[in-house]
Amino acid sequence: MKALQGLEEPPVLGHQGRMAKTTFSCSACGASHSRWSGRCDGCGEWNTISQDVPLSAGPAKKSLGGKRGQSITLTDLSTEETPPPRTLCGVEELDRVLGGGLVPASALLVGGDPGIGKSTLLLQAAARFSRAGVKTIYISGEEASAQVRMRARRLGLEDAPVQLAAETNLRNILTTLEAEKPGLAIIDSIQTMWADNVDSAPGSVSQVRAAAHELTTFAKRHGVSIVMVGHVTKEGQIAGPRVVEHMVDTVLYFEGERGHQFRILRAVKNRFGPADEIGVFEMTGKGLAQVTNPSALFLSERGTPSPGSAVFAGIEGTRPVLVELQALVAPSPHSQPRRTVVGWDSGRLAMILAVLEARCGVPFAGLDVYLNVAGGMKVSEPAADLAVAAALLSAREDTALPADTVVFGEISLSGALRPAPQTENRLKEAQKLGFTSAIAPAGGKTGTVAGLTLTRPSDLVGFVGETFGAG
Ligand code: TYD
Ligand code: MG
């Protein structure tokens, strides 16, 4: 504190509250005055003196004040509530992702990359729901009604009782919805909507937020289910669907690789059902077709077992899904070897490589590592760890894993293996698809699955030894 010696004491702030004295200061030179005058004595400027805003007198009149509101009725947690009636559209993959059908007066967001098939999916859904007796309105802000009609014809849906409009003015849309009283309204897309009380361009964060807020409030107040489409955007100027995720009841993402025909509709948030549920579709020349047995589809491209391939028995939402993991390990020409992952977390790959190296003595230094989840699927379960390790080791040792074997289990940093949830369901699915053996960590409830040979290593070293000899 020595350095401060000799400095003047900081000025003490005056007692607030007790007769706060009004002061004035000049905006040109900063001189303070005890009363207002037209000309500043300090600098001689005219009309530069104004009254000071008192220092922190607390938020002035920002609170609601003392005026009373109405008291609200409180209920306890045990009050009986009839579950909302749901409408099924008949496309099982869609109904399941919705949590068992469409809930009235709910707001949904369907996000996805441009061109992935959102408009196609929603037009098909609109047709289904309208045929199921829900009055449905489809409002496109991106395409002319004629374009939407053309797509409907291509999809063979031209006779579905869906009402169409091309409009971007939110006020007009809300007025129309209020008059028409539909059960379901689809807004394609939220980024093209324009609220005239917000002073910024369509697609900006404030416009997208305002439009989503208006539509969500409208949905609740008028008992309409509103589906908003949101494009995932790469550049910052257009707001992405993330900015409205917190407002809506349900958030679905439509994913897939452009080059693949598979599309996955994934529930990332659902106030009326389980999240993490997926629906699998295939993009065909006549629109999206549902895939009721995704495991068979994801494995259909699999040829004879080859080094680097492992089948992971995963769980997506409530359903087991088998996918093929493919690894390639090759000597690296670069000083820093490559680590490339498609469909899985790259941080998790680094972790598994480190565990294999530190606990099992299998080095990957100087080797490029590529990992791919076949079919454009994304896997996020930690239970895929062991299947990833199996694919990596199989690629590195150039040894194919035993045919018709599924692998799953979580790897911890110590090299121990942890059982995965729903082990029994995974095994049943594998057995159903004709697999004859499974490698899964010891522990966990398995039950007995007929016709399936189980190998149950307790740690990674044991797994490496059993599956690849001494490693
Ligand atoms: P679209 O639904 O317009 O995508 P989004 O609304 O997400 O931007 O669909 C875009 C792609 O889907 C387009 O490239 C063509 C393809 N497609 C088909 O393969 N089959 C079809 O029956 C339809 C309607 C579209
Ligand atoms: Mg579209």
Short mmCIF file of all heavy atoms in Angstrom, two decimals, residues 84-87 101-107 183 219-220 223-226 249 272:
data_model
loop_
_atom_site.label_atom_id
_atom_site.label_comp_id
_atom_site.label_asym_id
_atom_site.label_seq_id
_atom_site.Cartn_x
_atom_site.Cartn_y
_atom_site.Cartn_z
N PRO A 84 -53.31 -34.58 -22.11
CA PRO A 84 -53.85 -33.95 -23.31
C PRO A 84 -54.18 -35.00 -24.37
O PRO A 84 -53.45 -35.97 -24.52
CB PRO A 84 -52.71 -33.05 -23.78
CG PRO A 84 -51.48 -33.60 -23.12
CD PRO A 84 -51.93 -34.21 -21.85
N PRO A 85 -55.29 -34.83 -25.08
CA PRO A 85 -55.61 -35.78 -26.14
C PRO A 85 -54.60 -35.61 -27.27
O PRO A 85 -54.25 -34.50 -27.64
CB PRO A 85 -57.00 -35.33 -26.60
CG PRO A 85 -57.09 -33.89 -26.22
CD PRO A 85 -56.23 -33.70 -25.03
N ARG A 86 -54.11 -36.71 -27.77
CA ARG A 86 -53.09 -36.62 -28.82
C ARG A 86 -53.65 -37.14 -30.13
O ARG A 86 -54.50 -38.02 -30.13
CB ARG A 86 -51.87 -37.46 -28.44
CG ARG A 86 -51.09 -36.91 -27.28
CD ARG A 86 -50.10 -37.94 -26.81
NE ARG A 86 -49.31 -37.46 -25.70
CZ ARG A 86 -48.12 -36.89 -25.84
NH1 ARG A 86 -47.59 -36.73 -27.03
NH2 ARG A 86 -47.43 -36.49 -24.80
N THR A 87 -53.14 -36.60 -31.22
CA THR A 87 -53.56 -37.08 -32.52
C THR A 87 -52.39 -37.81 -33.15
O THR A 87 -51.28 -37.28 -33.22
CB THR A 87 -53.97 -35.92 -33.44
OG1 THR A 87 -54.78 -35.04 -32.68
CG2 THR A 87 -54.73 -36.42 -34.64
N GLY A 101 -47.72 -38.81 -30.63
CA GLY A 101 -48.74 -38.04 -31.33
C GLY A 101 -48.63 -36.55 -31.06
O GLY A 101 -47.85 -36.12 -30.20
N LEU A 102 -49.44 -35.81 -31.79
CA LEU A 102 -49.41 -34.35 -31.70
C LEU A 102 -50.26 -33.87 -30.53
O LEU A 102 -51.40 -34.30 -30.37
CB LEU A 102 -49.95 -33.77 -33.01
CG LEU A 102 -49.88 -32.27 -33.20
CD1 LEU A 102 -48.44 -31.82 -33.37
CD2 LEU A 102 -50.70 -31.86 -34.41
N VAL A 103 -49.69 -32.99 -29.71
CA VAL A 103 -50.41 -32.44 -28.56
C VAL A 103 -51.04 -31.12 -28.97
O VAL A 103 -50.38 -30.28 -29.57
CB VAL A 103 -49.43 -32.21 -27.38
CG1 VAL A 103 -50.15 -31.61 -26.20
CG2 VAL A 103 -48.76 -33.51 -26.99
N PRO A 104 -52.35 -30.91 -28.66
CA PRO A 104 -52.97 -29.64 -29.04
C PRO A 104 -52.34 -28.47 -28.28
O PRO A 104 -51.81 -28.67 -27.17
CB PRO A 104 -54.43 -29.81 -28.65
CG PRO A 104 -54.56 -31.13 -28.01
CD PRO A 104 -53.27 -31.83 -28.01
N ALA A 105 -52.38 -27.30 -28.85
CA ALA A 105 -51.88 -26.07 -28.23
C ALA A 105 -50.41 -26.17 -27.87
O ALA A 105 -49.97 -25.67 -26.85
CB ALA A 105 -52.69 -25.72 -26.98
N SER A 106 -49.63 -26.83 -28.74
CA SER A 106 -48.21 -26.91 -28.46
C SER A 106 -47.42 -26.23 -29.57
O SER A 106 -47.89 -26.10 -30.69
CB SER A 106 -47.78 -28.38 -28.33
OG SER A 106 -48.04 -29.07 -29.52
N ALA A 107 -46.23 -25.77 -29.22
CA ALA A 107 -45.37 -25.13 -30.21
C ALA A 107 -44.16 -26.03 -30.45
O ALA A 107 -43.52 -26.47 -29.51
CB ALA A 107 -44.91 -23.78 -29.69
N GLY A 183 -56.36 -26.73 -36.40
CA GLY A 183 -55.81 -27.51 -35.29
C GLY A 183 -54.29 -27.54 -35.37
O GLY A 183 -53.60 -27.70 -34.38
N ALA A 219 -50.27 -20.07 -30.04
CA ALA A 219 -50.57 -21.51 -29.94
C ALA A 219 -51.24 -21.84 -28.62
O ALA A 219 -52.25 -22.54 -28.57
CB ALA A 219 -49.29 -22.32 -30.11
N LYS A 220 -50.68 -21.29 -27.53
CA LYS A 220 -51.23 -21.59 -26.19
C LYS A 220 -52.61 -20.98 -26.02
O LYS A 220 -53.50 -21.58 -25.44
CB LYS A 220 -50.33 -21.00 -25.10
CG LYS A 220 -48.90 -21.35 -25.20
CD LYS A 220 -48.63 -22.68 -24.54
CE LYS A 220 -47.42 -23.27 -25.18
NZ LYS A 220 -47.20 -24.63 -25.02
N GLY A 223 -55.21 -22.64 -28.71
CA GLY A 223 -55.30 -24.10 -28.83
C GLY A 223 -54.90 -24.66 -30.18
O GLY A 223 -55.39 -25.70 -30.60
N VAL A 224 -53.99 -23.96 -30.85
CA VAL A 224 -53.51 -24.44 -32.15
C VAL A 224 -52.13 -25.05 -31.95
O VAL A 224 -51.32 -24.51 -31.20
CB VAL A 224 -53.35 -23.25 -33.14
CG1 VAL A 224 -53.00 -23.74 -34.53
CG2 VAL A 224 -54.59 -22.42 -33.15
N SER A 225 -51.85 -26.16 -32.61
CA SER A 225 -50.46 -26.66 -32.60
C SER A 225 -49.72 -25.96 -33.72
O SER A 225 -50.19 -25.95 -34.86
CB SER A 225 -50.43 -28.16 -32.84
OG SER A 225 -51.14 -28.80 -31.82
N ILE A 226 -48.60 -25.35 -33.38
CA ILE A 226 -47.85 -24.63 -34.41
C ILE A 226 -46.47 -25.24 -34.58
O ILE A 226 -45.74 -25.43 -33.60
CB ILE A 226 -47.75 -23.13 -34.06
CG1 ILE A 226 -49.15 -22.51 -34.09
CG2 ILE A 226 -46.81 -22.41 -35.03
CD1 ILE A 226 -49.20 -21.02 -33.96
N ASP A 249 -42.23 -25.97 -26.99
CA ASP A 249 -42.42 -27.16 -26.15
C ASP A 249 -41.54 -28.30 -26.62
O ASP A 249 -41.08 -29.11 -25.83
CB ASP A 249 -43.88 -27.61 -26.20
CG ASP A 249 -44.82 -26.55 -25.70
OD1 ASP A 249 -44.56 -26.03 -24.60
OD2 ASP A 249 -45.79 -26.23 -26.39
N PHE A 272 -43.62 -33.04 -23.70
CA PHE A 272 -44.73 -34.00 -23.64
C PHE A 272 -44.30 -35.42 -23.90
O PHE A 272 -45.12 -36.27 -24.24
CB PHE A 272 -45.82 -33.62 -24.67
CG PHE A 272 -46.26 -32.21 -24.58
CD1 PHE A 272 -45.98 -31.32 -25.60
CD2 PHE A 272 -46.95 -31.76 -23.47
CE1 PHE A 272 -46.40 -30.00 -25.51
CE2 PHE A 272 -47.36 -30.45 -23.38
CZ PHE A 272 -47.08 -29.57 -24.40
#
